[in-house]
Amino acid sequence: MSTEVRVPTLGESVTEATVATWFKQPGDTVAVDEMLCELETDKVTVEVPSPVAGTLSEIVAAEGDTVGVDALLAQIAAGDAAPAPAAKKEEPKAEAAPAPAAAAKDVEDAPSAKKLMAENNLTDVQGTGKDGRVMKEDVLNALASPAPAAAAAPRAPVAADQAAREERVKMTRLRQTIAKRLKDSQNTAAMLTTYNEVDMTEVMALRNEYKDLFLKKHGVKLGFMSFFTKACVHALREVPEVNAEIDGTDIVYKNYVNMGIAAGTPTGLVVPVINDADQMSFATIEKAIAEKGAKARDGKLSMAEMQGGTFTISNGGVYGSLMSSPILNPPQSGILGMHKIQDRPMAINGEVVIRPMMYLALSYDHRIVDGKGAVTFLVRVKEALEDPRRLLMDL
């Protein structure tokens, strides 16, 4: 009895993927949920786990193949792997002579990449796939590159004794995707950051007063993120361009708020999205943040859960950051950076008092968000947090 391994749902607007890497080969034993292969799309990388335990009997889609949703990738036979036949052990010796030809086959470019290169008369594209294979994304990057001069600078010379103490580790697909998206954001958007600070006295007092009751009733802790989410939703209603995006020569205004909550994981930064955050209560927001945060840490977020965001909140304060400028999460036009709460002397009504203060940073796309709108947004967030009653009365 055999089980089919098929391409999973790839998320909104994604209809095909390229098989990047096979972690298993025919004859290998696989366990349930053990990673079989990695697929690359225009947006993210998807790992395909084994649905059953058994032996990988056949690979249908080879590395570099372009596959659609639900396409057959492989077959898994039930039961443990059979002992490797003697002929298989002798394979390396038998094929030692034609090694150059085999190597040439290993680095064959992805079909989708070859098609794009032919259509655009490209011949020299640097590949980032296995063994230097040119992937579709590499060709798209080459087409988007303004000039060859934009290539990365060569690595600085390193003395032999220092080189021996270095460790070279290949970037994960997630880290490569993060690097590309953030650099694309800088190259595309007219990014600017404006700052303000907020007195967290009232939010902290409200949280301390109701946190036990909140936990008892809703089964989730009352954190600061729900206050910031609510404050941002409140501000986005007044400054809708911060919740919009550019599509060609059009501006698309979103009459809803899908809030991205940036989360650090051992493998890199991810941004799970809380859909329709503007329709949620404090408790619903906290539950959604807790659920998505746990999935992010366990590496179980689906692509659908990281797509469709209209605005993002990033909390560098949990790591001790006092002030920073967050980078936009394209195609969004705004991202709020939270920072560490720190007691500082403040002048209040002519007197110097100690208050728990936090710096806020709003990075925005100046192509559609003017300075007035950005400052107004940040001031509204500040006002809502310094007097949370304004959120209840929509003031």
Side-chain angles (χ1 to χ4, degrees):
M1 179 180 177
S2 65
T3 301
E4 295 180 339
V5 180
R6 293 187 174 273
V7 176
T9 302
L10 298 173
E12 60 182 29
S13 75
V14 182
T15 58
E16 66 176 21
T18 300
V19 181
T21 307
W22 276 100
F23 304 120
K24 296 289 184 178
Q25 297 301 320
D28 289 351
T29 302
V30 295
V32 177
D33 291 333
E34 187 174 5
M35 290 305 136
L36 296 177
C37 68
E38 195 172 54
L39 306 178
E40 286 184 343
T41 75
D42 291 339
K43 296 186 176 180
V44 293
T45 298
V46 182
E47 291 181 329
V48 180
S50 174
V52 296
T55 303
L56 183 61
S57 58
E58 180 186 7
I59 290 178
V60 178
E63 292 181 2
D65 287 357
T66 299
V67 291
V69 175
D70 203 40
L72 182 62
L73 293 172
Q75 297 274 4
I76 296 178
D80 296 333
K88 186 174 182 181
K89 292 182 180 179
E90 296 172 1
E91 256 180 30
K93 291 183 180 179
E95 294 189 359
K105 184 179 179 182
D106 284 344
V107 295
E108 182 180 355
D109 298 335
S112 57
K114 289 193 289 187
K115 181 181 177 183
L116 268 178
M117 286 192 289
E119 291 173 350
N120 294 276
N121 296 321
L122 290 177
T123 55
D124 188 14
V125 176
Q126 185 66 37
T128 60
K130 185 178 180 181
D131 298 326
R133 179 183 288 109
V134 177
M135 311 303 291
K136 180 180 179 181
E137 188 177 74
D138 300 326
V139 183
L140 294 174
N141 289 342
L143 291 172
S145 180
R155 185 170 180 264
V158 178
D161 59 332
Q162 293 176 332
R165 295 184 292 165
E166 294 180 345
E167 179 183 5
R168 183 181 291 268
V169 179
K170 186 173 178 60
M171 291 173 69
T172 63
R173 297 289 177 183
L174 175 60
R175 177 56 58 190
Q176 292 179 45
T177 302
I178 291 171
K180 179 182 180 301
R181 283 179 59 83
L182 294 184
K183 189 57 186 173
D184 286 348
S185 176
Q186 287 184 320
N187 293 339
T188 304
M191 193 157 53
L192 193 63
T193 305
T194 187
Y195 301 91
N196 211 317
E197 60 182 349
V198 57
D199 185 341
M200 295 292 290
T201 300
E202 293 301 323
V203 168
M204 293 174 72
L206 193 63
R207 179 173 176 266
N208 288 334
E209 183 176 353
Y210 291 110
K211 64 180 182 180
D212 294 336
L213 192 60
F214 189 90
L215 177 61
K216 182 178 179 181
K217 180 174 181 178
H218 300 294
V220 64
K221 292 182 179 180
L222 176 61
F224 291 122
M225 289 304 297
S226 55
F227 286 96
F228 276 85
T229 300
K230 282 284 190 180
C232 286
V233 166
H234 171 75
L236 289 171
R237 289 198 183 106
E238 184 171 341
V239 192
E241 58 267 32
V242 182
N243 197 51
E245 68 180 58
I246 291 179
D247 183 15
T249 56
D250 296 333
I251 299 176
V252 182
Y253 291 95
K254 309 298 180 69
N255 298 318
Y256 55 91
V257 178
N258 289 347
M259 189 66 71
I261 305 294
T265 72
T267 55
L269 183 74
V270 294
V271 186
V273 175
I274 299 174
N275 292 323
D276 298 316
D278 53 321
Q279 305 296 322
M280 292 183 175
S281 65
F282 278 82
T284 310
I285 292 172
E286 289 291 356
K287 288 177 182 177
I289 291 174
E291 176 190 352
K292 297 290 174 69
K295 282 188 175 183
R297 288 189 297 272
D298 296 339
K300 295 182 179 179
L301 281 172
S302 68
M303 281 196 301
E305 291 174 304
M306 293 186 285
Q307 294 175 344
T310 62
F311 184 81
T312 296
I313 299 176
S314 178
N315 185 6
V318 295
Y319 305 110
S321 171
L322 188 60
M323 181 179 285
S324 64
S325 301
I327 298 179
L328 286 173
N329 183 20
Q332 298 170 24
S333 297
I335 178 171
L336 180 76
M338 297 168 55
H339 298 92
K340 178 184 178 182
I341 299 173
Q342 188 171 53
D343 286 345
R344 294 203 301 272
M346 304 296 295
I348 308 293
N349 297 324
E351 296 183 358
V352 177
V353 296
I354 304 299
R355 290 295 178 90
M357 303 298 295
M358 176 193 288
Y359 287 117
L360 299 178
L362 174 72
S363 290
Y364 59 98
D365 191 342
H366 211 346
R367 293 179 298 171
I368 60 172
V369 181
D370 294 329
K372 177 185 176 183
V375 172
T376 299
F377 174 90
L378 214 46
V379 168
R380 293 296 176 265
V381 171
K382 170 185 171 71
E383 291 173 345
L385 292 169
E386 291 185 342
D387 184 3
R389 294 171 297 179
R390 298 173 69 96
L391 295 173
L392 299 176
M393 296 182 236
D394 195 23
L395 295 175

